[in-house]
Amino acid sequence: MHLTRFTDYSLRVLIFLAVKGEERSTINEIAERFEISRNHLMKVVQELSHKGYITAIRGKNGGLLLKKAPEEIRLGRLVRDTENDLELVECFGDSNECRITPACQLKPILAEALRAFIAVLDKYTLADMLGPQQPQLAQLLSIEPLKRDKDSNDPLEPPQAL
């Protein structure tokens, strides 16, 4: 089983947004931190928004935010939503021309393996991926902790570089 780059990037976007928390992020910021294609990331973000994983806010103060809590985002569901083709071999598809299909037991074995793979992913959420490593992820991605006004719960703008 090999996940596509699309699914890989989808996971990275969700991880980044979860680590960032309530602070909005941009496609450029995520692309730079992961050193990946901005153009490809735009397609990923559009699909994640369309599928209800993230909110994309346009405009001057726009950005990207998780639409659901990390505890609500199941990895198995994400993989099913982002993988266009979970057909592991030709006989999984409609255009199967393999001549041994009537006598071959590969298809049911691989189908069982695929179900097991997805079932394991269904046990885990985005929050499970973060776990106690969230501070390390923030450090590796150069994400500054969101500053809060000590007299209220309102977040302050992160410090601007000079």
Side-chain angles (χ1 to χ4, degrees), residues 92 104-113 115:
F92 274 40
C104 180
Q105 290 303 302
L106 184 59
K107 182 178 179 179
I109 292 168
L110 289 178
E112 181 182 350
R115 284 191 302 273

Side-chain angles (χ1 to χ4, degrees), residues 8-72:
D8 177 19
Y9 287 4
S10 296
L11 287 163
R12 292 186 202 200
V13 167
L14 295 178
I15 289 168
F16 191 91
L17 295 178
V19 170
K20 198 90 182 261
E22 298 173 20
E23 188 179 348
R24 294 177 184 166
S25 302
T26 66
I27 291 173
N28 284 336
E29 177 184 23
I30 298 169
E32 287 173 8
R33 300 294 165 77
F34 283 110
E35 298 179 356
I36 57 180
S37 164
R38 180 186 177 281
N39 291 336
H40 195 67
L41 205 55
M42 287 175 66
K43 295 173 191 168
V44 168
V45 164
Q46 183 178 8
E47 186 68 16
L48 289 173
S49 178
H50 177 72
K51 297 279 186 182
Y53 289 98
I54 65 173
T55 299
I57 303 163
R58 296 179 186 257
K60 182 180 176 191
N61 294 315
L64 307 171
L65 294 167
L66 285 179
K67 193 168 192 172
K68 303 175 182 178
E71 297 79 15
E72 296 176 24

Side-chain angles (χ1 to χ4, degrees), residues 65-103:
L65 294 167
L66 285 179
K67 193 168 192 172
K68 303 175 182 178
E71 297 79 15
E72 296 176 24
I73 298 175
R74 294 246 160 237
L75 301 184
R77 175 79 270 149
L78 177 72
V79 168
R80 285 190 294 273
D81 283 345
T82 56
E83 287 293 318
N84 290 330
D85 183 8
L86 287 173
E87 297 175 359
L88 298 180
V89 289
E90 180 184 341
C91 59
F92 274 40
D94 294 333
S95 60
N96 178 22
E97 295 182 11
C98 180
R99 65 181 343 156
I100 66 169
T101 298

Side-chain angles (χ1 to χ4, degrees), residues 144-160:
E144 295 291 327
L146 188 61
K147 307 279 189 221
R148 295 198 173 270
D149 183 344
K150 59 185 167 190
D151 297 329
S152 75
N153 288 331
D154 295 334
L156 295 174
E157 293 294 318
Q160 299 294 322

